Amino acid sequence: MTKLTFKYGINTSIAIALVIGIVIFIEAISFKHHRQLDLTASKRYTLSDQSIKVLKSLEKDVKVIGFFNETQSSEAQSFMDLLEQYSYHSSRFTYEFIDPDKNPGKAKRYEITTYGTTVVESEAKEEKIFDTREEKVANAILKVTRKGKKVVFFSKGHGEKNIEDINEKGYSFAKKALEDSNYEIKELVLPITETIPDDANLLIIAGPKKPILNTELETLNKYIENGGKVFFMIDPGTASELVSFLEKYGISLQDNIVVDKISRIFGVDPSMPVITQYGEHPIVKDYSIATFFPLTRSVDKAANPVDGIRVTSLIKSSPNSWAETDINRFKSGEAAFEEDKDIKGPVSIGVVASLNEKKEE
């Protein structure tokens, strides 16, 4: 549970990666392969860790059929290179290319009306895509192999981020990215909700501006105690009522703002700390690239552990950063590290809490 606020300039895919990580951890099934080395500068022959996890978790056979004609030989060859990497990582994955002009019967069978259409099929399920990018293929595989859809609720009623807003502060891109990965997105008006719906796989509380009432906190508490999952994203200087609420789950939410002046090297503001340290938890353990989180506060394990709850830090800022306790000083542009007041980096800005060994994070 934590708070991360994303604003203009942040790569939305980073945010989605973390959201999806909280929603579900796909356990990898080990296969022994010979070593393959990619020496191309662009890593053309290397799949992302997420795609490899999807492939190694396959429990059903998946086939990809690309419908390309002779004039698309270059595009088809590039796509074939990608699919060859998919088949390398899983014996359950196969692919085939068909020229619809030479095999109209097959094209009719799959209702192909456009050159460059790709069909991803598994057992009785089919998904058509019109884009040969890696993430599109991976998402289509998830759609045809996953049993049902997982449901993600976004709370509203406290000035949270709007999932329909296409502007820089909206979460429409986050919503679309989750839907593309076969998640169903719904909204939940928390102030008038007595119980969290039974079909909720995750509740996201994204940047509330108004206080969450005690009755709502009781509803959240019951949901969590019964194994529900909540993803909190809390802005600096807001939601003071959640400090004590999270404390009982072993989480310490501090009233500060993380500053990292080295972020200027990357052309971003110091209020957007660069993240280079990831924990060992499955949610982030395969992350290796630098990411940025604007306007975030520190969140870490509470000083006094809570029995039956395991808290793990997910991400930390660089050693050059610090958590500035004087937010007004930061706003005036005069922030500077003070050893007796501030928290020296690396600063934890994201944690996950798990209740009991039998419950999921």
Side-chain angles (χ1 to χ4, degrees):
M1 305 172 190
T2 186
K3 168 62 182 79
L4 304 171
T5 301
F6 307 93
K7 68 176 185 180
Y8 184 72
I10 190 71
N11 188 330
T12 305
S13 64
I14 296 171
I16 301 310
L18 284 175
V19 173
I20 295 174
I22 295 293
V23 178
I24 182 173
F25 165 55
I26 304 174
E27 184 176 351
I29 303 173
S30 297
F31 289 94
K32 292 184 179 179
H33 291 288
H34 63 277
R35 192 71 174 169
Q36 189 177 60
L37 186 62
D38 183 0
L39 299 178
T40 60
S42 63
K43 297 299 179 184
R44 177 182 176 184
Y45 302 108
T46 302
L47 294 181
S48 68
D49 292 333
Q50 289 80 7
S51 291
I52 294 173
K53 284 182 179 180
V54 169
L55 290 167
K56 290 192 174 183
S57 67
L58 288 179
E59 297 179 355
K60 304 176 182 178
D61 291 339
V62 173
K63 185 175 183 178
V64 171
I65 307 173
F67 289 87
F68 295 80
N69 67 1
E70 291 181 348
T71 64
Q72 298 172 293
S73 58
S74 177
E75 182 182 355
Q77 183 58 56
S78 295
F79 193 31
M80 186 179 296
D81 291 340
L82 173 65
L83 297 181
E84 184 61 29
Q85 292 307 299
Y86 272 82
S87 63
Y88 168 78
H89 287 285
S90 176
S91 60
R92 288 189 172 277
F93 182 92
T94 58
Y95 65 89
E96 178 185 6
F97 281 79
I98 294 174
D99 186 333
D101 295 331
K102 296 179 178 179
N103 198 332
K106 209 68 175 284
K108 183 178 180 180
R109 148 70 179 87
Y110 287 99
E111 299 180 350
I112 303 302
T113 59
T114 305
Y115 294 124
T117 301
T118 298
V119 176
V120 181
E121 64 178 3
S122 180
E123 295 182 346
K125 290 185 177 181
E126 293 180 6
E127 181 74 16
K128 287 188 178 72
I129 57 176
F130 305 91
D131 192 320
T132 59
R133 287 179 295 173
E134 177 188 340
E135 61 269 27
K136 297 296 183 181
V137 178
N139 286 338
I141 293 174
L142 284 174
K143 288 181 179 180
V144 298
T145 57
R146 182 175 287 169
K147 296 178 181 178
K149 286 188 177 182
K150 291 185 178 291
V151 181
V152 177
F153 279 87
F154 279 79
S155 72
K156 58 186 301 185
H158 313 90
E160 293 96 328
K161 301 296 183 182
N162 187 344
I163 61 174
E164 303 298 339
D165 188 354
I166 62 173
N167 295 311
E168 63 185 62
K169 294 183 179 180
Y171 270 24
S172 62
F173 290 110
K175 177 189 176 186
K176 185 179 185 306
L178 286 169
E179 289 175 333
D180 287 345
S181 295
N182 204 33
Y183 293 91
E184 184 176 356
I185 308 303
K186 297 181 179 181
E187 290 185 310
L188 181 70
V189 184
L190 198 55
I192 61 173
T193 300
E194 295 184 358
T195 58
I196 307 300
D198 292 337
D199 64 339
N201 294 104
L202 174 71
L203 172 63
I204 298 177
I205 300 178
K209 296 293 185 288
K210 297 180 180 179
I212 299 177
L213 304 178
N214 288 333
T215 53
E216 299 172 72
L217 294 177
E218 290 175 7
T219 299
L220 291 175
N221 184 67
K222 290 178 182 177
Y223 174 63
I224 294 171
E225 293 292 335
N226 288 326
K229 305 174 187 69
V230 184
F231 182 23
F232 292 95
M233 297 189 282
I234 315 299
D235 287 326
T238 65
S240 58
E241 71 281 359
L242 288 177
V243 174
S244 58
F245 179 80
L246 294 177
E247 187 79 26
K248 67 182 180 181
Y249 291 110
I251 297 174
S252 176
L253 182 67
Q254 300 294 318
D255 188 16
N256 52 40
I257 185 166
V258 180
V259 181
D260 190 353
K261 292 188 176 180
I262 201 173
S263 295
R264 289 173 175 164
I265 296 175
F266 300 94
V268 296
D269 192 88
S271 65
M272 192 183 296
V274 56
I275 305 303
T276 57
Q277 297 185 34
Y278 300 93
E280 292 300 318
H281 194 278
I283 291 173
V284 294
K285 97 180 220 186
D286 291 327
Y287 275 57
S288 58
I289 61 174
T291 52
F292 300 85
F293 293 87
L295 294 178
T296 187
R297 64 202 292 178
S298 68
V299 55
D300 207 341
K301 301 177 185 178
N304 299 315
V306 179
D307 290 341
I309 297 179
R310 184 176 72 254
V311 180
T312 305
S313 177
L314 296 176
I315 47 181
K316 292 184 179 181
S317 59
S318 76
N320 304 289
S321 65
W322 76 91
E324 176 65 51
T325 57
D326 191 339
I327 295 179
N328 289 327
R329 186 179 180 185
F330 168 79
K331 290 179 179 179
S332 67
E334 300 176 357
F337 176 70
E338 295 181 273
E339 192 166 348
D340 58 333
K341 295 181 180 179
D342 303 326
I343 303 174
K344 189 173 185 342
V347 180
S348 174
I349 65 169
V351 300
V352 60
S354 175
L355 277 65
N356 304 320
E357 294 297 326
K358 295 182 180 180
K359 293 184 179 180
E360 299 178 88
E361 284 82 0

